Amino acid sequence: MVAERKPATFPNSHQVIFKMCHKIFICLWFACFSLVRADITDGNAEHLKREHSLIKPYQGVGTSLSSQWDFWGSTLVTSQYVRLTPDERSKQGSIWNTVPCYLKDWEMHVQFKVHGSGKKNLHGDGIAIWYTKERLHPAGPDSNGNFHGLAIFIDTYPNDEASGRSFPYISAMVSNGSLPYDHGKDGRSTELGGCSAEIRNKDHDTYLAIRYSKGRLTIMIDVDDKNEWKECIDIGGVRLPTGYYFGASAATGDLSDNHDIISMKMYQLMVEHTPEEDSQDWTKIEPSVSLLKSPKDNIDDPTGNFRSTPLTGWKVFLLLLCALLGIVVCAVVGAVVFQKRQERNKRFY
């Protein structure tokens, strides 16, 4: 007696489509995600602009006519680091690039170190990285807190205990000279965004990357010894002119820390601009930011975080394109699976 042949079984077409589409969507998502997040350069030496970079052993630093960096206040230049302030009270120091930057798209990598004998909140006050119209002396904004350009604050001491933030705290600010930095409120009313970061007394290197390209400002940090960038601030609608100066400053008050700059490396970004953008006089641009809400709204937002700002047009386009490709691929896969199933079913009639 011949055993009855069991009917052939095939995977359910819906299951096949779901599994294949799931894999396809994952691949497309990672591809799009990598495109969207591929913001920070890998430090290509070909695009390093040495006239705007501060690198060991710090040649070209000094007060001579040929120097590209000058320093003031308590700043001490050694062969291994530039110490803006020692771990002593009431010190101010800064270092400034003497060459104005005319790059439209750029990225600055800052290796820094903040360390000292103070415990918990008994230390201060932090480092500021500047891109400003004037080289500020010796340690930051004028007595009214005014400046023209961009400032990144690595704030290690909370002047406003009611903010509820975790310090050290990194924030960004753009000013046209009319917005003062409020030291008493840690700049909350004017910041564009920020993040907390444990950067004090680390045994490993700590880095900050500042990227400005096509009106978008991105701040990334690498402070966990993982050799990878972590997003801190990402905001569009930022307008910065060319011809400004880069610098770094630090200050101590009743509390103190060693504030060291190990390096500042400037990279030129190769970005295409429209003919209208290229014909514009970028030195005449007024520093500004187009926001859906005013920075003053941060007063009611302890995090001061604007990372929920809508995506820029090109990122939205990439995401929509990936979604469309996913739908098309799934449709094609579904049609192929359905056709094969129909052909298999015909064999049993």
Side-chain angles (χ1 to χ4, degrees):
M1 182 177 180
V2 180
E4 183 179 358
R5 183 186 297 272
K6 294 182 179 180
T9 58
F10 299 96
N12 184 280
S13 60
H14 295 288
Q15 294 177 344
V16 173
I17 295 173
F18 177 79
K19 291 181 179 179
M20 296 187 69
C21 287
H22 179 70
K23 294 180 179 179
I24 292 170
F25 271 123
I26 290 177
C27 293
L28 288 172
W29 169 250
F30 276 108
C32 291
F33 187 77
S34 62
L35 288 173
V36 172
R37 291 300 302 272
D39 286 339
I40 300 300
T41 181
D42 58 358
N44 192 333
E46 294 179 359
H47 300 154
L48 177 68
K49 309 302 290 185
R50 295 190 177 276
E51 65 271 26
H52 301 301
S53 297
L54 182 66
I55 306 173
K56 297 177 185 179
Y58 311 117
Q59 296 177 349
V61 177
T63 57
S64 66
L65 295 177
S66 60
S67 65
Q68 296 176 333
W69 292 83
D70 204 354
F71 58 92
W72 288 271
S74 61
T75 302
L76 173 66
V77 179
T78 74
S79 62
Q80 297 300 314
Y81 56 81
V82 175
R83 178 154 295 168
L84 301 176
T85 71
D87 191 0
E88 300 174 8
R89 294 182 178 181
S90 302
K91 298 295 183 179
Q92 294 183 340
S94 64
I95 188 165
W96 289 89
N97 191 196
T98 61
V99 183
C101 179
Y102 290 97
L103 301 178
K104 299 175 183 177
D105 304 270
W106 49 265
E107 185 170 308
M108 174 70 82
H109 291 190
V110 181
Q111 182 182 356
F112 64 97
K113 188 175 183 65
V114 180
H115 57 106
S117 58
K119 304 299 182 181
K120 204 171 182 180
N121 286 337
L122 300 179
H123 51 78
D125 284 315
I127 297 176
I129 308 298
W130 305 92
Y131 176 65
T132 55
K133 184 177 182 179
E134 304 290 343
R135 288 180 289 153
L136 308 176
H137 312 295
D142 62 24
S143 58
N144 296 319
N146 295 319
F147 65 94
H148 287 77
L150 168 69
I152 309 299
F153 300 106
I154 307 173
D155 197 349
T156 58
Y157 181 78
N159 293 304
D160 183 11
E161 297 287 352
S163 67
R165 291 177 176 172
S166 176
F167 279 72
Y169 188 81
I170 300 173
S171 63
M173 174 182 174
V174 171
S175 177
N176 60 3
S178 63
L179 292 176
Y181 178 78
D182 187 350
H183 291 274
K185 296 291 185 180
D186 300 315
R188 286 181 59 201
S189 62
T190 52
E191 75 170 52
L192 303 177
C195 65
S196 299
E198 293 295 334
I199 51 92
R200 287 193 73 250
N201 290 335
K202 295 295 185 180
D203 294 330
H204 54 264
D205 297 333
T206 49
Y207 297 88
L208 175 78
I210 308 166
R211 178 188 179 99
Y212 178 70
S213 180
K214 295 186 74 67
R216 192 161 198 88
L217 177 68
T218 305
I219 310 297
M220 306 286 278
I221 57 175
D222 179 5
V223 298
D224 298 323
D225 199 26
K226 295 182 179 179
N227 196 30
E228 60 184 22
W229 294 111
K230 177 182 177 182
E231 182 181 300
C232 178
I233 302 169
D234 184 26
I235 185 170
V238 178
R239 289 176 58 81
L240 294 175
T242 59
Y244 279 22
Y245 295 91
F246 285 99
S249 67
T252 63
D254 292 336
L255 302 175
S256 62
D257 253 339
N258 294 303
H259 297 98
D260 300 342
I261 298 293
I262 311 302
S263 66
M264 297 176 67
K265 297 181 179 180
M266 166 62 67
Y267 298 95
Q268 181 178 8
L269 302 178
M270 302 304 176
V271 177
E272 293 185 2
H273 289 270
T274 64
E276 292 77 14
E277 290 174 334
D278 286 331
S279 63
Q280 184 180 7
D281 186 355
W282 284 59
T283 63
K284 303 298 183 182
I285 292 177
E286 190 76 4
S288 63
V289 182
S290 300
L291 292 174
L292 295 180
K293 63 176 181 176
S294 169
K296 292 184 178 180
D297 292 343
N298 288 339
I299 295 175
D300 300 321
D301 178 11
T303 64
N305 201 329
F306 279 88
R307 278 180 285 178
S308 58
T309 303
L311 293 171
T312 52
W314 71 274
K315 288 186 179 181
V316 172
F317 173 75
L318 284 176
L319 293 176
L320 291 177
L321 178 62
C322 289
L324 180 61
L325 288 174
I327 293 173
V328 171
V329 170
C330 284
V332 172
V333 171
V336 171
V337 172
F338 179 77
Q339 182 179 4
K340 289 185 177 181
R341 182 178 177 82
Q342 291 294 98
E343 293 176 354
R344 288 166 178 165
N345 289 339
K346 287 181 181 179
R347 299 173 184 174
F348 298 98
Y349 292 104

